[in-house]
Amino acid sequence: MKICLIGGHLGPALALLDYVPSHWQVVFLGRQNVFEGDPGLSLEYQAITKRDIPFYPLTTGRLQRKLTKRTLLSLPKVPVGYLQALRYLRKEKPDVVFGFGGYVSLSVGLAAKTLGIPVVIHEQTLRAGLANRFLGRFAEKIYISWESSRKYFPANKTIVTGNLLRKTIIDSLSASKNKKAIGTDPVLYITGGSAGSHSINVIVEEIIERLLGKYTVIHQTGDALEFGDYTRLIKRRELLPLVLRKKYTIMKFIEPSDVGEIYRNADLVISRSGVNTMTELLVMKKSCLLIPLPHGQRDEQIENAAYLKEKGLATVLLQKDATGESLLATIDNIMSHITDFSLNAPVDTSIHLHAAFHVVDLLGSLYEKKEDKKP
C-alpha cells in the first residue's frame, strides 16, 4: 500500500507515521518553508526528510473568510498548488491520499479527486476546518477527533477516532512521575508551536532576565527569517550573566522525539492553544498558561483555551492583554499555587490514547476492501 500524506498539521501526521507498517510506502506533500514568502525551512520538511520519506513541496495559497491584502496575494497560488499536486500524484500513484486539514489539503484533495484517488481526511478541531468541510463532500472516509465535529460531515462516512497522539507522548505517560531534574528552579517550557510565535517571543525577550532569576526556561522560537527571533534571542542570551545563561535553553524547533520528555520535565507550559497542543496538554495533564492566537479560524484557539480552562489545567491570557509585566505576573501567580495543580484535573474521557493505531488499522481495512473489489 502506498499512502500520500498531506502536510500542514504536522503533529497528527507524525503520530500516524509512528504506527505505519514498515511495508507501506509513504510520500509527503507539504510546506517546505515556515510561512508563505519566508525562506526558513519548516519543521515538517526537516522532520519528514529526516525519516527518508519523499517530500514534495507545494506552493499553494490559503482560503480565508475575509478579503485582505494577504488574501489577494495568496489566492492565485491555489491553482498553482493544484497543478503541482496533480504532477506529484501522477508520478507517485498512491492508493490513498490522507489529509489533516489546513489550506495545503485543499489543492491536494482536489487533485486526488481529479485523478480518481480515494481521499481520507482527519479533523482535529472541536468543530471543523474550512478545507476539511469542503473535502468532506467527496472524501471516502472522515475521521474526527471529537463528537462535536460530527454535525459538519456526512454521517454515513464519519468515524470518531480521537486525535492522533505521537508515540513520544504516549511513552511519556508511563514515565510521568519520573521528572528529570533540570537545575533546582521550576521549569518553564515556552512554545509558539512548530512555526514559533513572534508575539510571544518578543514579550518573553522583554522579561527574560527576570524570568531566569526564578525559573529555568526552555524556549522554542521557530525559525521565521522574517522576524529573526532565534538569532536575536541567541545574541540576547550571550549577554546574560553566566549563571542565568545556563538556565536558558533556546531552540528553533523541538525534535518530535523529544516533545514528551520536555512536557514531562516542565512545571508550566506557556503556549498558543492549537488543538494538537491542547490534546497533548490534556493527556499529559500539564499546567499551562495559554495565549490564544487572536486571529485564528472562528476563534478556534480561544475555544480550545476555554476547554482546557474548564478542565482545570489552563490559565488564559488574551493576546491584547499580554505584555511583559502581565505575563510575568501571571506566571508568578500560577507558580505560587502550582503544587499538585494538574494532578487534581479530571481525566478527559474523550481522549483516545491509541487513535493513531486505530486510524492505521482503518486505512489498512479500507485498502483491503478496495483490493477485494478488483476483478
Side-chain angles (χ1 to χ4, degrees), residues 140-340:
E140 188 87 8
K141 291 292 181 182
I142 301 159
Y143 305 142
I144 59 176
S145 300
W146 315 90
E147 188 63 41
S148 56
S149 296
R150 187 183 291 277
K151 62 185 176 183
Y152 298 101
F153 300 108
N156 64 329
K157 53 184 180 180
T158 300
I159 301 171
V160 178
T161 63
N163 202 359
L164 279 61
L165 289 161
R166 289 173 281 184
K167 193 172 183 296
T168 179
I169 301 296
I170 304 298
D171 291 345
S172 293
L173 294 176
S174 60
S176 59
K177 294 182 180 179
N178 301 322
K179 183 177 180 291
K180 181 180 177 182
I182 305 177
T184 57
D185 293 326
V187 178
L188 308 180
Y189 170 39
I190 303 172
T191 174
S194 61
S197 167
H198 176 60
S199 298
I200 292 176
N201 291 341
V202 169
I203 295 170
V204 169
E205 182 179 11
E206 181 185 332
I207 58 170
I208 189 59
E209 197 156 350
R210 285 188 285 172
L211 278 177
L212 293 169
K214 304 175 183 179
Y215 310 110
T216 294
V217 177
I218 301 171
H219 186 180
Q220 182 262 320
T221 65
D223 191 29
L225 299 184
E226 175 185 357
F227 303 119
D229 290 345
Y230 174 78
T231 301
R232 191 180 67 256
L233 284 163
I234 285 290
K235 291 178 180 177
R236 176 73 178 88
R237 180 181 180 275
E238 292 306 308
L239 297 175
L240 293 169
L242 180 60
V243 67
L244 299 184
R245 200 183 315 157
K246 290 179 177 180
K247 296 168 61 181
Y248 188 24
T249 300
I250 307 173
M251 305 178 181
K252 293 180 181 179
F253 305 117
I254 304 297
E255 286 293 329
S257 58
D258 295 336
V259 170
E261 183 179 356
I262 289 177
Y263 272 137
R264 187 170 71 248
N265 293 327
D267 294 284
L268 180 67
V269 177
I270 301 159
S271 74
R272 294 298 196 191
S273 49
V275 71
N276 295 310
T277 298
M278 179 189 87
T279 307
E280 292 172 351
L281 291 169
L282 278 169
V283 169
M284 298 293 291
K285 295 181 72 174
K286 295 305 297 186
S287 303
C288 53
L289 168 54
L290 302 178
I291 307 173
L293 192 67
H295 48 77
Q297 184 168 263
R298 294 178 301 162
D299 295 328
E300 174 197 322
Q301 290 211 7
I302 292 174
E303 183 178 5
N304 293 342
Y307 187 85
L308 275 168
K309 183 177 180 180
E310 179 188 334
K311 296 295 180 181
L313 290 173
T315 299
V316 181
L317 179 63
L318 296 179
Q319 179 78 49
K320 64 182 180 64
D321 301 321
T323 63
E325 294 300 327
S326 65
L327 180 62
L328 183 61
T330 307
I331 291 171
D332 287 344
N333 183 56
I334 295 171
M335 294 307 297
S336 67
H337 301 92
I338 199 69
T339 307
D340 293 335

